[in-house]
Amino acid sequence: NEPFTLAGKRVYLVDAYSLIYQVFHALPEMTGPAGQPVGAAHGFVRDMLDLIENRGADLLVAAFDHSDETFRHTLDPQY
């Protein structure tokens, strides 16, 4: 068994919360059958599928910020 390697792989690292925020505000309001908002979920999945189907992603990594303060708060208190 050979060790796993990323050599030759197309890998995308996605700032998940940033993307969710972006698609939430960019798309028109969308609701599911029970009236729940689904625009952000739809946009996030759409963009992940685009990375796979149209940009040839071999691997996707979705990173979510921790709920506590991070180094970003030191860089910008308004974060």
Side-chain angles (χ1 to χ4, degrees):
N1 235 344
E2 293 187 30
F4 178 77
T5 179
L6 294 178
K9 303 283 185 190
R10 185 167 292 187
V11 181
Y12 286 88
L13 174 61
V14 177
D15 180 344
Y17 284 137
S18 176
L19 177 58
I20 291 167
Y21 180 85
Q22 177 185 0
V23 296
F24 176 81
H25 291 285
L27 296 176
E29 187 174 320
M30 301 173 78
T31 57
Q36 72 277 30
V38 298
H42 170 79
F44 181 81
V45 171
R46 181 202 61 194
D47 285 3
M48 295 297 100
L49 289 174
D50 178 66
L51 289 173
I52 295 167
E53 295 172 352
N54 299 320
R55 298 178 189 255
D58 295 305
L59 298 165
L60 293 176
V61 178
F64 293 82
D65 280 342
H66 194 274
S67 61
D68 292 336
E69 288 194 7
T70 67
F71 71 93
R72 290 180 177 95
H73 294 90
T74 304
L75 296 171
D76 183 357
Q78 294 182 18
Y79 181 80

